[in-house]
Amino acid sequence: MTKLRLGVNIDHVATIRNARGGAFPDPVRAAKLAAQAGADGITAHLREDRRHISDADIERLSREIDLPLNLEMAATDEMLAIALRHRPHAACIVPEKREERTTEGGIDAAGQHNRLAPLVRRLGEARIRVSLFVEADRRQLDAAKSLGAPVVELHTGAYCDSAGETREKHLAAIRDAAAYGASLGLEIHAGHGLSYDTVAPIAAIPEIRELNIGHFLVGEGIFVGLEASIKRMRQFMDEARK
Ligand code: PXP
């Protein structure tokens, strides 16, 4: 099976920093540690309200880290301008609601075709690899394909937050979406809410090429250190992939 890449999302290092408004803990230092621990990329979400990652963080991440940067962004003109200025390796377009605690659902690629089309085109022209964060639903994959996005990231939040039969149903939908999306020629990523307990069945899906994981790794890092939490996650992923 192809290697499964791990993108480490460092947003919540910035959440802790911002709780006191100072300079530490520094998300760029976390990104450098993640690289040492075996991450294949760094993911950061510059939210409209700047609740965690700041513009200055994106600037420094672009300049100071060697790993590919995946910028998570809402489909707005402001974020498009920022992405075009920094030209990250990838941009993952996510829905954003100011009042939500985290990205609660996938973007409606099917319903928002006209809004997304120019954004996907302009990012693509700047050679930024565009990914759409979508629910595991064939309709959304068809829409991503017709928008010309090369990548989709499947939302694993509902799978992680459920249990028993409901979790199995969500897992089956993710498996189906991964196979269907790959058959359309889309590169398949997945993420949101993944932990040591939930990562293996997702990592075992052969069409999935990349996982983006943040909150759990930063939280676990409080107890065992960030490098250790990332290395352990990497082990779970590699084991599941065998
Ligand atoms: N992928 C996307 C598109 C996200 O929006 C997020 C959360 O910012 C993640 C992955 C990572 O989720 P978590 O922090 O729950 O691991």
Side-chain angles (χ1 to χ4, degrees):
M1 248 196 273
T2 49
K3 192 193 170 207
L4 181 61
R5 295 191 300 267
L6 170 61
V8 172
N9 181 315
I10 47 149
D11 290 352
H12 296 300
V13 177
T15 303
I16 300 171
R17 174 194 63 192
N18 294 1
R20 286 293 173 92
F24 57 86
D26 176 13
V28 178
R29 182 174 170 201
K32 290 177 181 169
L33 267 179
Q36 284 170 27
D40 302 288
I42 298 299
T43 295
H45 185 176
L46 184 66
R47 290 187 78 99
E48 193 189 9
D49 62 9
R50 309 305 198 262
R51 71 175 71 154
H52 37 58
I53 292 294
S54 68
D55 297 69
D57 292 330
I58 295 296
E59 170 100 43
R60 287 184 56 218
L61 287 167
S62 306
R63 252 188 301 121
E64 294 180 35
I65 61 163
D66 297 326
L67 290 180
L69 176 64
N70 173 33
L71 174 68
E72 289 180 6
M73 53 176 268
T76 64
D77 290 342
E78 183 201 15
M79 289 300 152
L80 174 63
I82 290 170
L84 294 178
R85 192 159 68 243
H86 293 293
R87 296 186 181 242
H89 166 77
C92 179
I93 303 177
V94 301
E96 214 176 280
K97 287 190 236 127
R98 209 167 254 261
E99 66 281 10
E100 71 191 353
R101 256 190 290 178
T102 180
T103 314
E104 283 165 0
I107 198 154
D108 183 8
Q112 295 194 39
H113 181 97
N114 292 348
R115 188 155 80 96
L116 293 173
L119 206 83
V120 171
R121 182 177 48 75
R122 292 196 57 199
L123 291 166
E125 283 168 0
R127 298 183 177 276
I128 299 168
R129 201 155 163 77
V130 182
S131 130
L132 299 178
F133 188 43
V134 294
E135 297 294 332
D137 169 351
R138 288 186 176 212
R139 224 167 44 96
Q140 297 296 344
L141 298 166
D142 287 332
K145 178 73 185 169
S146 80
L147 279 163
V151 183
V152 290
E153 181 166 328
L154 301 175
H155 200 312
T156 52
Y159 153 77
C160 292
D161 291 343
S162 55
E165 262 181 44
T166 314
R167 178 178 280 182
E168 286 307 313
K169 262 193 217 152
H170 286 301
L171 181 58
I174 293 167
R175 284 196 187 111
D176 176 76
Y180 182 68
S183 78
L184 297 177
L186 295 165
E187 181 174 312
I188 312 294
H189 299 177
H192 207 284
L194 292 168
S195 67
Y196 296 156
D197 289 339
T198 50
V199 76
I202 300 295
I205 299 172
E207 294 86 2
I208 295 182
R209 305 292 303 276
E210 175 175 312
L211 299 181
N212 283 298
I213 310 180
H215 182 260
F216 178 83
L217 292 174
V218 173
E220 185 67 9
I222 292 170
F223 303 108
V224 301
L226 190 59
E227 269 192 89
S229 73
I230 293 169
K231 280 186 180 158
R232 186 129 178 78
M233 185 61 83
R234 187 72 267 173
Q235 277 172 356
F236 278 113
M237 288 165 58
D238 293 343
E239 282 293 311
R241 205 73 175 170
K242 271 185 193 157

